[in-house]
Amino acid sequence: MGVEKMIDARGAVCLALLMLATGLRATFAAPLDDAAETYRPYMIEGIGQALAGARNLRERVAAGDLTGAKKAWISARAGWERSEVFTAGFVPELDAEIDAWPNADSGFHGIEARLFGAGRTDAGSDTDALVEHLDNLHGKLRSMELTPQGLLDGIVRLTYEVGESKADGGESRISGTSLDDMRNNVAGIDFAYRTIFATALKTADAKLADAVDARIERLKVIVAARDLPSIDIPGLRRTTEELVITLQSASAKLGLQRATLEAKSQ
Amino acid sequence: MIIRHSWIATLALGILVAGLHGRAVAFPIDGDQTTLPPKTELNEDALDKPREVFHSELAGGKSYMINLGNLAFSSPGILGGVARQAAVSCGTCHVNGAGNAKLFMPKMSTHPGNFDTTGPLFNPKADNLVLDPVRIPSLRGARYLAPYGFDGRMPSLRDFVHNVIVNEFAGPEPSPVILDAIVAYIQDIDFLPNPSLGPGGRLVGKINDSERRGEALFLKPFPHDPSLSCAGCHTPSGVFSDHQQHDIGSGGLFRTPTLRNADFNAPYFHDGRFDSYDQVVAHFDRVFDLGLSAQDRQDLAAYLTAVGDGTQPYEHDGAGASLKEINDFTTVLGTAIPAGDKDIVSLAVDTIGNELRELTEQYPDHKNTSVTGGEQQRVLARNALKELVLTLRRIDMAVADGRIADATTDYRNYRYLMAAAVPSVLAGAEPWSLFNSKVHDSHYAALRQVMQSKHAPQ
């Protein structure tokens, strides 16, 4: 079979599957939409914690309290990392402002370099900007359209990201809190999946749901390591990839499009 | 299976159409939570890398064993826990079979390009409690260079490789096929050709006067001991080594190193103490009281440079070079999948997956402040590479379950994507990738700025 014919044939199969998926979507649409709404208060709570931490951080920075500022940064960071399930997909521009990397001039990592790296508290303008951006995001969450597809995409993307190598110290290497980031990411993945998709998937395909559960549990065990160098890196990679594949298989069972790995550019 | 066909075709078409419209763990290592000591330099951010010249390519193509050896050589998975955690493989020190002159690991190195193989980090049981690093050798022409080890203690390359894996890096006992494959790979790495070297190791062609005078000095007996000369140990030949151990006043008996391609093998001496031929010549002049004039020293250095030369030693690191190596690795799956060889499939999937993940990081995501523009192209490139990683993992899962037909289908899909769609998408994103020197420099400057904040005076 020539390449063109192969692609034609695959295109036809794709169309057929799309129709099938559309039918499934009708079956699961309402429960999943409702489940996504159930998740909204927790999104608001997570970003609310990050915002409260950022406000406290701003106060501690203004008071020149380095120890207190570091604690507040870690607290704000925890809420943020749990929320990364949806930030990249739903608010990419704010995500980039708040979590910019590697440039040390802005966002969480700019402040991290100042506090934990240089050991200084002259980060007033950066903390002002962080509070403003988180406040802006917090306000948007109440009316933002939440789609099950976007949330499943977010879970899949974050899962893949958790499997990236941390041999260099990870994302928050200056503060030494990259393992906390990972734990909060996994907690966010676990919570979002259980809140939005677990029930529907158990109904559609109990075996697949069990496979998702088993891999999330394995991930939780891996990130429970005592420190970052103790993380089973090959196991982490394998488990995250297997979880992504299982969730992608679950997409069709849930009447959704196959979950994608990158947020579309704006 | 039908589902896999449909998404892969859709993806391939999608990325091709978009492409028409429209490079550890490569950070400085630092922070309090790293497996390797802070301030380790692995030289992973180099844009130019040594190039391999394979003997078998001249003979028509690389065999399964050579590709498997290259794969295992690049896999942290064959080494022990610390190396695996830190993503260190044989290839970390021997970049494309050459040395890594910039590698520096606090507690394990005293000089860029050397490394303590009996240090505390990778295998505490092998720690001799002395910081005695040795130069990381090039592997070019290794098949001509027995015995092995800086002191020539091992006649067998296979035994030497086994020792590195099991003792120096605390790896599990390798299977015989993996050992044989790594040996096949190393033995396939040729010297870089040097058209200035003729029969008997004599300089030929367009040779300048300084090089010619240097050659005469090289052959001339030492004034205080006529039984000795440079050429007495570095026998002019295809190898420029007598394969023997000698005491040259550097602290013990050491095997004569080859001079072939030595221009690219600095630092010099068993412990890498010298950075240049000038320093090497000055050492011999002092230890053996050669009475060399400044001109003599210059002439000897010019001769060594002529002998140690090689053509096309480096290639610019781009997506094409990475994909070529990944494709070589992937051919291993073409044999291992039908054979249902779970271990080799897993090794290949993990190793190629690592390579693809590293390649993904060459295309900065939307949070990266080092680059603006090309967002759509970068998203497509990252997405395509992630899909390949997952396709490989599906192959691993299928072979582990005994579903060889599914694995074969996914392997076909993988090859299909790698044939045209992925290279096209990566080429489309290259201007905004770390393969672009401006983006590369901006990215690493920002990273180093972050790292320096950790070490700034407070």
Side-chain angles (χ1 to χ4, degrees):
Chain A
M1 186 185 286
V3 172
E4 285 180 17
K5 283 185 178 175
M6 279 172 61
I7 292 172
D8 284 343
R10 288 168 183 175
V13 173
C14 191
L15 277 173
L17 281 169
L18 188 62
M19 291 169 69
L20 183 61
T22 307
L24 285 169
R25 175 90 182 105
T27 309
F28 286 98
L32 283 182
D33 287 343
D34 291 346
E37 279 307 316
T38 309
Y39 181 63
R40 188 185 297 275
Y42 299 104
M43 290 170 61
I44 295 170
E45 184 186 326
I47 293 299
Q49 185 196 339
L51 179 58
R55 284 179 171 144
N56 188 24
L57 169 63
R58 183 169 61 180
E59 287 174 14
R60 295 299 89 213
V61 161
D65 173 8
L66 182 61
T67 305
K70 286 179 176 177
K71 283 183 184 170
W73 184 91
I74 290 170
S75 172
R77 187 82 184 148
W80 173 258
E81 290 295 311
R82 280 201 295 276
S83 303
E84 281 198 310
V85 161
F86 62 87
T87 53
F90 288 94
V91 284
E93 69 292 343
L94 279 170
D95 183 49
E97 293 279 359
I98 293 166
D99 208 19
W101 179 95
N103 191 308
D105 289 342
S106 64
F108 270 115
H109 296 303
I111 299 167
E112 179 193 16
R114 211 71 187 147
L115 300 178
F116 295 87
R120 296 166 61 159
T121 55
D122 54 341
S125 59
D126 289 339
T127 51
D128 285 346
L130 183 64
V131 168
E132 183 188 333
H133 290 135
L134 285 169
D135 198 22
N136 184 1
L137 173 55
H138 196 241
K140 282 187 175 186
L141 292 178
R142 296 180 191 287
S143 56
M144 178 191 295
E145 185 191 357
L146 287 181
T147 61
Q149 182 70 55
L151 289 164
L152 185 64
D153 287 346
I155 290 171
V156 161
R157 289 170 196 154
L158 187 58
T159 301
Y160 188 95
E161 191 181 315
V162 168
E164 287 166 2
S165 171
K166 308 296 186 293
D168 49 37
E171 186 180 350
S172 300
R173 69 192 72 173
I174 301 292
S175 58
T177 57
S178 294
L179 182 53
D180 294 335
D181 288 351
M182 294 165 69
R183 289 172 178 158
N184 285 315
N185 282 165
V186 171
I189 290 163
D190 181 33
F191 186 80
Y193 170 75
R194 280 193 287 111
T195 305
I196 306 163
F197 301 108
T199 303
L201 186 59
K202 209 166 275 297
T203 304
D205 189 330
K207 195 175 167 187
L208 203 54
D210 288 345
V212 172
D213 290 343
R215 286 177 173 117
I216 289 177
E217 289 307 311
R218 206 185 303 159
L219 263 187
K220 287 156 78 172
V221 170
I222 291 172
V223 299
R226 69 177 186 278
D227 54 26
L228 193 64
S230 304
I231 290 276
D232 171 12
I233 296 290
L236 177 72
R237 233 197 77 191
R238 173 182 292 268
T239 306
T240 53
E241 288 170 10
E242 290 180 355
L243 178 55
V244 167
I245 289 166
T246 313
L247 286 168
Q248 286 183 324
S249 299
S251 302
K253 302 281 183 179
L254 292 167
L256 299 173
Q257 300 294 316
R258 187 171 175 277
T260 58
L261 293 160
E262 282 285 318
K264 284 176 187 161
S265 66
Q266 299 302 295
Chain B
M1 196 179 299
I2 290 171
I3 291 171
R4 285 195 197 97
H5 270 298
S6 68
W7 74 255
I8 209 85
T10 305
L11 176 68
L13 273 172
I15 57 186
L16 269 174
V17 168
L20 289 171
H21 291 96
R23 194 190 85 83
V25 115
F27 312 123
I29 290 173
D30 211 334
D32 300 330
Q33 295 279 301
T34 55
T35 306
L36 298 178
K39 294 204 161 185
T40 291
E41 171 61 80
L42 298 179
N43 197 26
E44 289 190 314
D45 56 329
L47 274 175
D48 293 312
K49 300 219 166 130
R51 177 175 173 269
E52 296 148 314
V53 174
F54 289 110
H55 179 70
S56 60
E57 281 182 336
L58 300 172
K62 287 189 276 183
S63 67
Y64 168 75
M65 287 298 278
I66 290 170
N67 283 320
L68 176 60
N70 194 357
L71 176 81
F73 195 84
S74 304
S75 172
I78 66 162
L79 303 179
V82 175
R84 280 203 301 271
Q85 289 294 103
V88 165
S89 69
C90 304
T92 303
C93 293
H94 306 278
V95 182
N96 289 344
N100 185 345
K102 286 192 176 176
L103 184 137
F104 184 85
M105 208 173 282
K107 301 178 185 174
M108 304 293 282
S109 304
T110 57
H111 187 285
N114 75 13
F115 180 82
D116 188 354
T117 56
T118 52
L121 185 57
F122 291 96
N123 186 5
K125 288 180 184 168
D127 183 9
N128 65 358
L129 305 177
V130 179
L131 180 58
D132 52 355
V134 293
R135 180 175 70 114
I136 299 167
S138 165
L139 303 178
R140 289 173 177 142
R143 68 179 180 279
Y144 303 115
L145 299 176
Y148 300 98
F150 64 94
D151 52 2
R153 66 192 183 282
M154 291 206 175
S156 156
L157 180 57
R158 195 176 192 275
D159 290 347
F160 185 79
V161 170
H162 180 271
N163 180 63
V164 171
I165 293 171
V166 175
N167 295 325
E168 295 178 4
F169 287 90
E173 182 64 29
S175 67
V177 68
I178 289 294
L179 265 183
D180 290 342
I182 293 174
V183 169
Y185 163 71
I186 293 173
Q187 291 187 326
D188 201 45
I189 303 170
D190 261 344
F191 287 123
L192 302 170
N194 182 353
S196 298
L197 279 182
R202 300 301 297 265
L203 290 181
V204 296
K206 203 174 178 182
I207 306 302
N208 66 36
D209 290 345
S210 181
E211 292 163 347
R212 192 62 76 194
R213 288 194 302 270
E215 185 174 48
L217 284 167
F218 191 80
L219 298 169
K220 185 179 170 185
F222 288 176
H224 298 288
D225 187 347
S227 70
L228 299 177
S229 68
C230 302
C233 299
H234 295 284
T235 319
S237 65
V239 177
F240 277 84
S241 170
D242 63 356
H243 310 276
Q244 303 295 312
Q245 298 161 304
H246 301 281
D247 183 349
I248 54 162
S250 60
L253 281 167
F254 301 108
R255 181 179 57 98
T256 308
T258 181
L259 300 183
R260 291 289 308 276
N261 300 155
D263 292 5
F264 314 102
N265 296 349
Y268 303 114
F269 275 37
H270 74 280
D271 53 2
R273 68 181 68 179
F274 297 135
D275 291 317
S276 69
Y277 289 143
D278 291 339
Q279 292 171 309
V280 170
V281 170
H283 171 88
F284 281 97
D285 188 16
R286 187 177 60 252
V287 171
F288 293 96
D289 195 16
L290 301 179
L292 298 175
S293 67
Q295 183 64 54
D296 290 340
R297 291 186 182 192
Q298 194 178 316
D299 292 344
L300 270 170
Y303 170 74
L304 293 172
T305 303
V307 170
D309 201 3
T311 54
Q312 296 183 297
Y314 289 99
E315 64 189 358
H316 187 71
D317 196 17
S322 297
L323 290 178
K324 181 180 181 304
E325 183 171 51
I326 288 168
N327 284 336
D328 284 350
F329 292 169
T330 306
T331 61
V332 168
L333 287 171
T335 300
I337 291 171
D341 190 333
K342 296 176 186 178
D343 292 340
I344 298 292
V345 168
S346 278
L347 181 74
V349 166
D350 286 345
T351 307
I352 301 167
N354 276 337
E355 298 284 331
L356 289 166
R357 279 181 179 262
E358 284 182 16
L359 187 54
T360 307
E361 296 313 307
Q362 301 297 306
Y363 303 89
D365 68 13
H366 71 287
K367 292 182 187 179
N368 193 307
T369 51
S370 306
V371 57
T372 54
E375 291 87 354
Q376 181 68 19
Q377 288 88 342
R378 284 184 279 141
V379 163
L380 285 167
R382 292 176 62 84
N383 192 56
L385 291 167
K386 289 179 177 182
E387 289 289 357
L388 292 175
V389 169
L390 294 175
T391 305
L392 290 171
R393 183 59 64 195
R394 272 194 301 278
I395 291 171
D396 186 36
M397 293 166 74
V399 171
D401 292 345
R403 294 181 284 110
I404 303 301
D406 287 351
T408 303
T409 302
D410 270 320
Y411 179 62
R412 197 161 50 234
N413 290 335
Y414 175 95
R415 298 282 299 236
Y416 175 68
L417 286 173
M418 281 295 259
V422 170
S424 170
V425 162
L426 299 190
E430 189 136 336
W432 301 278
S433 76
L434 301 187
F435 294 125
N436 175 331
S437 61
K438 283 185 181 173
V439 176
H440 175 274
D441 292 349
S442 168
H443 176 81
Y444 281 100
L447 266 179
R448 290 183 196 283
Q449 182 188 335
V450 171
M451 292 299 107
Q452 282 163 4
S453 73
K454 184 78 177 168
H455 303 288
Q458 297 179 17

